[in-house]
Amino acid sequence: MVRMLLLPSLGPFHILHPRYNAATVLAILERARPPVLYLASLSQEALSEGWWREEDPLLFHLLPWAEGRGLPVVALDEEAHLKKEAEVFREALAQHPGGKPYLERMAAFDQALLALLRTPLTLEGLASGEFLARLRGIYEGFAQAFGEGPATGFRQGRMARVAEALKGKEGAVIAEVLDFPFLAEAFPGALPGPQEPTEAERQRALMDRAWQLREEDDWVGLVEGLFAIGSPEALYLAAQIYLAAGEWREALGLMEEVFRMDFQHPEYLPGYVLARFGQLLDLAGERERALRAYRGVLALSWAPEEARTIAQAGLRTPFRLG
């Protein structure tokens, strides 16, 4: 067991990286066997109230993993509310008559960060001095242009306090990607080493690709791979591909199978399954069952906004293919 392990969270960008996806992070944690899972970029309130769903979707996978192993999860950023200052700062600039040039400069930094996060990333690359330097350079350019404070959500100060709270601690630390360089500087010995690919990582990469389905993808190959995985999420995604191909009856057959399985995890899945199942039942003329599925989405304690929107529309009008 390592004394401390520091890993970056890419948030929604994990889905783009086959060699650093949610399953990669879980495999690293399994190998490290940490006594505690620390969340450097979230407050305890965000964790307990579920606000993390909007902030860090990686936790859809990490939190059930930690719960299954009886692992304490501790959110460390007691001043995470200051992150909202960055949004307020941008909104103020947008209202100011002379704010446009500053917003354009901000957008340039945003685009540089997005370009970096969209390039193929691996664990080794993320922990490399080159990646950390590029990430730090983008952030420091922004901070120099607009000030370290409200414009950055007081990130440097917040992470200094998190680093102080981590001194002498043992466990795994998950940090938002822009927070990662600050903690990597404070704890250089906590950066991860090489990680061999796992079958779970390969399967997660296949499902991540299916979530991003594109016209140029090998749809047949994707469906075959999803069938081989056979999990509720994989079969849901296979049904999505059938529907995208116009084969809604095949999609409905698959969704009937998913509906007979335990599809409670990941937490985003039940809402999507019920919403799509309702639409497919509408196409089959089974309006009463469709209505039950739509109502099921809205009865969940939480469902993705897209699923709720589909359900609300389905309650008003039976779904039809455009």
Side-chain angles (χ1 to χ4, degrees):
M1 182 179 70
V2 296
R3 187 165 183 271
M4 182 185 288
L5 173 67
L6 174 62
L7 296 171
S9 171
L10 306 183
F13 290 93
H14 276 283
I15 200 170
L16 301 179
H17 303 292
R19 288 304 328 277
Y20 193 66
N21 57 34
T24 314
V25 176
L26 291 180
I28 297 165
L29 293 173
E30 282 283 4
R31 182 179 175 184
R33 294 184 293 115
V36 183
L37 181 63
Y38 293 106
L39 306 178
S41 306
L42 286 181
S43 67
Q44 191 60 46
E45 186 178 17
L47 179 61
S48 59
E49 296 296 326
W51 302 340
W52 57 266
R53 297 182 184 97
E54 302 297 330
E55 296 188 45
D56 194 349
L58 176 64
L59 298 189
F60 282 115
H61 304 277
L62 262 59
L63 293 182
W65 173 85
E67 182 180 3
R69 284 149 188 78
L71 209 66
V73 179
V74 180
L76 291 173
D77 190 356
E78 295 180 356
E79 298 179 303
H81 61 279
L82 292 176
K83 289 189 280 189
K84 294 185 183 299
E85 294 295 320
E87 298 174 23
V88 173
F89 186 82
R90 290 188 184 229
E91 290 168 1
L93 279 179
Q95 299 301 318
H96 195 280
K100 185 177 179 181
Y102 296 99
L103 289 171
E104 289 174 350
R105 288 186 70 190
M106 283 185 163
F109 286 111
D110 291 343
Q111 289 304 312
L113 178 61
L114 289 174
L116 179 59
L117 295 180
R118 285 173 175 156
T119 57
L121 295 172
T122 64
L123 177 63
E124 292 80 2
L126 286 160
S128 69
E130 179 185 357
F131 177 82
L132 287 167
R134 290 180 65 188
L135 195 57
R136 192 68 183 258
I138 293 169
Y139 179 81
E140 287 178 350
F142 185 94
Q144 288 168 10
F146 301 103
E148 178 62 67
T152 66
F154 298 88
R155 192 180 300 271
Q156 184 173 349
R158 286 176 24 243
M159 286 305 107
R161 287 182 279 278
V162 167
E164 187 65 28
L166 281 169
K167 283 185 178 177
K169 297 287 196 304
E170 294 185 3
V173 183
I174 306 294
E176 184 182 308
V177 69
L178 280 174
D179 294 339
F180 181 57
F182 293 107
L183 297 179
E185 183 177 351
F187 305 101
L191 294 175
Q195 172 74 25
E196 289 295 319
T198 65
E199 178 60 17
E201 180 185 82
R202 186 197 68 78
Q203 292 181 0
R204 184 70 255 169
L206 186 71
M207 289 188 285
D208 286 347
R209 186 66 196 178
W211 278 107
Q212 307 168 70
L213 188 64
R214 299 171 188 168
E215 192 68 38
E216 66 270 20
D217 287 337
D218 176 6
W219 289 17
V220 173
L222 273 176
V223 167
E224 290 176 350
L226 293 167
F227 280 159
I229 295 170
S231 69
E233 184 177 5
L235 295 183
Y236 164 80
L237 290 166
Q240 291 281 82
I241 296 174
Y242 275 124
L243 182 58
E247 299 177 3
W248 66 263
R249 290 179 180 82
E250 287 78 1
L252 177 58
L254 268 179
M255 290 298 287
E256 293 275 16
E257 184 176 345
V258 172
F259 203 70
R260 291 190 292 269
M261 302 169 75
D262 179 4
F263 57 92
Q264 297 306 303
H265 298 289
E267 192 186 359
Y268 53 74
L269 189 58
Y272 283 128
V273 166
L274 288 166
R276 185 65 77 208
F277 193 39
Q279 289 182 322
L280 291 167
L281 289 168
D282 264 337
L283 291 177
E286 297 189 48
R287 182 61 177 162
E288 287 305 313
R289 289 183 70 199
L291 289 172
R292 287 199 296 273
Y294 296 139
R295 292 184 187 116
V297 176
L298 302 180
L300 293 169
S301 59
W302 178 84
E305 191 57 38
E306 181 186 2
R308 293 182 63 83
T309 299
I310 290 171
Q312 288 163 347
L315 287 172
R316 291 191 299 269
T317 309
F319 176 73
R320 294 290 179 264
L321 291 175

